[in-house]
Amino acid sequence: MAEMNTRVLLKRRPVGAPVPEDFEIATAPLPVPEDGQVLVRHRFVSLDPYMRGRMSDAKSYSAPVAIGGVMEAAAVGEVVESRDPRFQPGDSVMNSMGWQQWAAVPAGKLIKVDPTEAPLSANLGVLGMPGLTAWVGLEDIGQPKAGETVVISAASGAVGQVAGQIAKLRGARVVGIAGGVQKCAFIMEALGFDAAVDHRADLNAQLDAACPDGIDVYWENVGGAVQEAVFPRFRDFGRMVMCGMISQYNIAPGADAAGAPAGPNLGPVVRKRLRIQGFIVFDSGWQRYGQFRAEMLGWMNAGKLHWREDVVDGIEKMPQAFIGLLKGENFGKLVVKVG
Amino acid sequence: MAEMNTRVLLKRRPVGAPVPEDFEIATAPLPVPEDGQVLVRHRFVSLDPYMRGRMSDAKSYSAPVAIGGVMEAAAVGEVVESRDPRFQPGDSVMNSMGWQQWAAVPAGKLIKVDPTEAPLSANLGVLGMPGLTAWVGLEDIGQPKAGETVVISAASGAVGQVAGQIAKLRGARVVGIAGGVQKCAFIMEALGFDAAVDHRADLNAQLDAACPDGIDVYWENVGGAVQEAVFPRFRDFGRMVMCGMISQYNIAPGADAAGAPAGPNLGPVVRKRLRIQGFIVFDSGWQRYGQFRAEMLGWMNAGKLHWREDVVDGIEKMPQAFIGLLKGENFGKLVVKVG
């Protein structure tokens, strides 16, 4: 029997937290590349919180996945057949063709990656969109200075682990917030953060101890109770890097935040001259990918940058792994081995 | 009988809205300048919302006025006696020596102003701290571009009237929010704004009509219900210039916003890539005063910049005028003629 392409489709739009029944696992014949396209066999597919937004048709910065369509995701793999002169069979490539084992991709939408520089899956994390997100958000908004206190939420996650390490490398004192003893130990021991705060315990007492002089930069990945505890602790001229608020993705996936809980009173923004700024890496981040990758590889080769992946094996496990990601069940960058 | 110096002192810290009993009107002998000081007879004293913060001992960006101390304010007047070679009797000067008719001021704290360039009182408004605030906030944060929609709250006030006109001069479409028919007519007819919204009527319906494509820049002077109506209307990459939130100065004067109502959910900050940034003109604004004044005088001399003052006559009326300012009872920049 011919090899088939197993894919994960969006069956219906979730109401609240996604459930397995919102997805459909289906097989199809291998796609056939047209002129200018390249056939790619995926090895690893990325799972990231932003995908919850793509499942909703509420107004957002990007169009939703269609019902019956393949879920979007970054994926890395190898070229099997090329109908474009820029790619050869065996080339390692990255694309955004998602939750499936095979894809026929327009050559212009492929990025070639060098598999000798780093493990293939690293291109989905520390060297991929999450790493670039961390780098761009600190370059453009956080701008940590030597000696400043930088607080990172979801600190053991795909973006947080990189953001915290870059802030350390820029000379800041870094405090990570993570869920549970194991994740807190990891950011201290493996990543070298200066302090760890377990958001399952008393946030305020731990933040008092970890940030006695207040907070200069807060990297926001989560929202909710963590944001509430952090916000009053900003020092003058503090910056809040608004990367995401995963705690409310299931209740308010749209741009209007309908149904979401209230936020902080903004009086301190004036008195402390705070800057609260959101960004999406897709806007201008990839234009600086070369600069980012060069700096990151330099740190990696010098042993100054570490990363942890949470690898799930098997494309059929993707829905459950994604549902767990939204609950913080992963430990490190979540990737799925699909081939 | 010798001429006396009538002064307004802070008698006690207000709880909630200030009342006349929080102030004390007292007379003292004229101050005698020491070496390096200059004796100034005040003509006009400025009243501005930030002074509510100075009456409180809650943590803020500036030290509070001491109990029994003279209330702080910008004032303009003439030099009567100088013990510093940089000033001569008759010079027009600006200082921050406050709610009194006379002051002996260290020469280094005086700014000489040219009374032929503009009426003396204009140095407290359109050419003073409020005008500079408008100019700096738009330069550093608002950055209105031609064709963008800029919404100004407290649009007929000291800062709002200037901010709106500068945004117009930079090519933006300007919508002002003000309280009542008269103020709305003023910003349309005298200032040339493109639309006016009366916050005493249905805010949402009027904003729907005035900003059909959303808002690029919002100048925040007020907070509360106006902020709530404006916030969901930001377009992608919108900027919120956090100048003040007068609606809560009486309930939460401190930097921690204790007692203040909740603010907007910040999810849209990510999805729309918003920038919410506060500033205080005293930080770096005065370093650009020359550049600001030159541009403003150019517009004024070309008939392109208008301003309205609300002049109260008599220093003994200052407490009541300030109490009214916090309720929006003034119409235009509030100044007090004291000599």
Side-chain angles (χ1 to χ4, degrees):
Chain A
M1 198 176 113
E3 186 158 18
M4 298 292 278
N5 180 21
T6 301
R7 312 183 300 165
V8 183
L9 313 179
L10 179 63
K11 191 168 172 187
R12 64 182 189 194
R13 306 213 178 276
V15 177
V19 293
E21 294 72 26
D22 296 327
F23 302 90
E24 181 179 357
I25 295 173
T27 55
L30 292 205
V32 177
E34 299 171 10
D35 262 0
Q37 289 192 336
V38 176
L39 180 66
V40 181
R41 179 203 294 265
H42 289 165
R43 296 298 182 190
F44 293 95
V45 176
S46 186
L47 285 175
D48 301 281
Y50 77 86
M51 296 167 186
R52 177 63 184 84
R54 299 288 200 283
M55 300 179 77
S56 163
D57 56 5
K59 189 177 180 322
S60 189
Y61 57 88
S62 193
V65 173
I67 298 295
V70 178
M71 286 287 296
E72 282 175 32
V76 286
E78 288 106 30
V79 172
V80 172
E81 180 186 348
S82 175
R83 298 193 59 186
D84 185 280
R86 286 170 285 180
F87 293 91
Q88 303 299 323
D91 284 349
S92 292
V93 292
M94 178 160 48
N95 68 44
S96 60
M97 298 299 282
W99 297 30
Q100 55 186 339
Q101 293 175 301
W102 293 79
V105 186
K109 298 203 163 180
L110 282 174
I111 296 176
K112 209 178 286 193
V113 296
D114 181 345
T116 68
E117 288 181 339
L120 203 56
S121 59
N123 294 289
L124 301 180
V126 64
L127 288 176
M129 183 278 288
L132 182 63
T133 297
W135 187 87
V136 163
L138 290 178
E139 284 291 295
D140 292 354
I141 304 170
Q143 300 168 342
K145 295 178 193 68
E148 286 191 330
T149 295
V150 175
V151 172
I152 309 279
S153 61
S156 70
V159 175
Q161 60 179 277
V162 181
Q165 289 183 88
I166 294 177
K168 277 292 289 179
L169 287 160
R170 305 258 189 253
R173 193 175 153 271
V174 176
V175 177
I177 305 177
V181 173
Q182 278 190 303
K183 289 179 180 177
C184 286
F186 164 72
I187 62 176
M188 293 291 287
E189 290 157 21
L191 304 185
F193 286 17
D194 297 284
V197 167
D198 182 351
H199 67 72
R200 295 178 190 165
D202 183 339
L203 263 175
N204 282 302
Q206 292 175 90
L207 284 169
D208 281 345
C211 311
D213 302 320
I215 296 169
D216 297 290
V217 177
Y218 172 52
W219 186 285
E220 177 62 294
N221 279 323
V222 300
V226 173
Q227 181 184 92
E228 201 174 323
V230 164
F231 195 80
R233 297 171 189 276
F234 272 116
R235 290 161 58 91
D236 286 354
F237 304 101
R239 288 86 71 196
M240 184 160 169
V241 186
M242 298 292 299
C243 180
M245 284 172 57
I246 196 170
S247 68
Q248 66 183 47
Y249 286 0
N250 283 330
I251 52 175
D256 59 358
N265 179 281
L266 297 179
V269 176
V270 183
R271 297 197 189 84
K272 297 183 180 179
R273 296 80 121 194
L274 306 181
R275 177 180 180 184
I276 303 173
Q277 189 167 350
F279 76 109
I280 303 280
V281 69
F282 303 108
D283 285 331
S284 71
W286 290 98
Q287 297 162 23
R288 289 175 276 174
Y289 183 70
Q291 187 189 350
F292 153 78
R293 191 176 175 101
E295 187 163 26
M296 296 291 277
L297 284 170
W299 284 326
M300 286 161 68
N301 291 334
K304 291 180 176 171
L305 194 63
H306 307 276
W307 68 97
R308 180 185 174 108
E309 288 174 352
D310 188 334
V311 183
V312 170
D313 196 351
I315 190 165
E316 73 286 353
K317 292 184 185 155
M318 288 194 74
Q320 199 58 58
F322 181 67
I323 290 165
L325 172 70
L326 292 174
K327 297 178 186 160
E329 291 175 358
N330 59 303
F331 185 179
K333 169 66 188 115
L334 185 58
V335 294
V336 182
K337 192 168 180 306
V338 301
Chain B
M1 196 176 113
E3 188 159 17
M4 298 291 279
N5 181 21
T6 301
R7 312 183 300 167
V8 183
L9 312 179
L10 179 62
K11 192 169 172 186
R12 62 182 190 196
R13 307 213 178 277
V15 178
V19 294
E21 295 71 27
D22 296 328
F23 302 90
E24 180 177 357
I25 295 173
T27 55
L30 293 205
V32 177
E34 300 170 8
D35 263 0
Q37 288 190 337
V38 175
L39 180 66
V40 181
R41 179 203 294 264
H42 290 165
R43 296 298 181 189
F44 295 95
V45 175
S46 186
L47 285 175
D48 300 281
Y50 77 86
M51 296 167 184
R52 178 63 184 84
R54 298 288 200 283
M55 301 178 77
S56 163
D57 56 6
K59 189 177 179 328
S60 189
Y61 57 89
S62 192
V65 173
I67 298 294
V70 178
M71 286 287 295
E72 282 175 32
V76 285
E78 286 105 29
V79 172
V80 172
E81 180 187 347
S82 175
R83 298 193 59 185
D84 185 280
R86 286 170 284 179
F87 293 91
Q88 303 300 322
D91 283 350
S92 293
V93 292
M94 178 160 47
N95 68 43
S96 60
M97 296 299 281
W99 299 28
Q100 55 187 338
Q101 293 175 301
W102 293 79
V105 186
K109 297 203 164 179
L110 284 174
I111 297 177
K112 211 178 285 192
V113 295
D114 182 345
T116 68
E117 288 182 338
L120 203 56
S121 59
N123 294 288
L124 300 180
V126 64
L127 287 177
M129 182 277 288
L132 183 62
T133 298
W135 188 87
V136 164
L138 289 179
E139 284 292 295
D140 291 355
I141 305 170
Q143 301 168 341
K145 295 178 193 69
E148 286 191 330
T149 295
V150 175
V151 173
I152 309 279
S153 62
S156 69
V159 174
Q161 60 178 277
V162 182
Q165 290 182 87
I166 294 176
K168 277 292 290 179
L169 287 160
R170 305 258 188 252
R173 194 174 153 271
V174 175
V175 177
I177 305 178
V181 173
Q182 278 189 303
K183 289 178 180 176
C184 285
F186 164 71
I187 62 177
M188 294 292 286
E189 290 157 21
L191 305 185
F193 285 18
D194 297 285
V197 168
D198 182 350
H199 66 72
R200 295 178 189 164
D202 183 338
L203 264 174
N204 282 303
Q206 292 176 89
L207 284 169
D208 281 345
C211 311
D213 302 319
I215 295 169
D216 297 292
V217 177
Y218 173 53
W219 185 285
E220 177 60 296
N221 279 322
V222 301
V226 173
Q227 181 183 93
E228 202 174 319
V230 164
F231 195 80
R233 299 171 189 276
F234 272 116
R235 290 161 57 91
D236 286 354
F237 304 102
R239 288 85 73 196
M240 184 162 169
V241 186
M242 298 293 298
C243 180
M245 285 172 57
I246 196 171
S247 68
Q248 67 183 47
Y249 287 179
N250 284 329
I251 52 175
D256 58 358
N265 179 280
L266 297 178
V269 176
V270 182
R271 296 197 188 84
K272 298 184 180 178
R273 297 80 121 191
L274 305 181
R275 177 180 181 184
I276 303 174
Q277 188 167 352
F279 76 109
I280 304 279
V281 70
F282 304 108
D283 286 331
S284 69
W286 290 98
Q287 297 162 23
R288 288 175 277 174
Y289 183 70
Q291 187 189 350
F292 152 77
R293 190 175 176 101
E295 186 164 28
M296 296 290 277
L297 284 171
W299 284 325
M300 287 162 67
N301 292 333
K304 291 180 178 172
L305 195 63
H306 306 276
W307 68 96
R308 181 186 174 108
E309 288 175 351
D310 189 334
V311 183
V312 170
D313 194 352
I315 189 165
E316 72 286 354
K317 293 184 184 154
M318 288 195 74
Q320 199 58 57
F322 181 67
I323 290 166
L325 173 70
L326 294 175
K327 296 177 186 160
E329 291 174 358
N330 60 304
F331 184 0
K333 169 66 187 114
L334 185 58
V335 294
V336 182
K337 192 167 180 308
V338 302

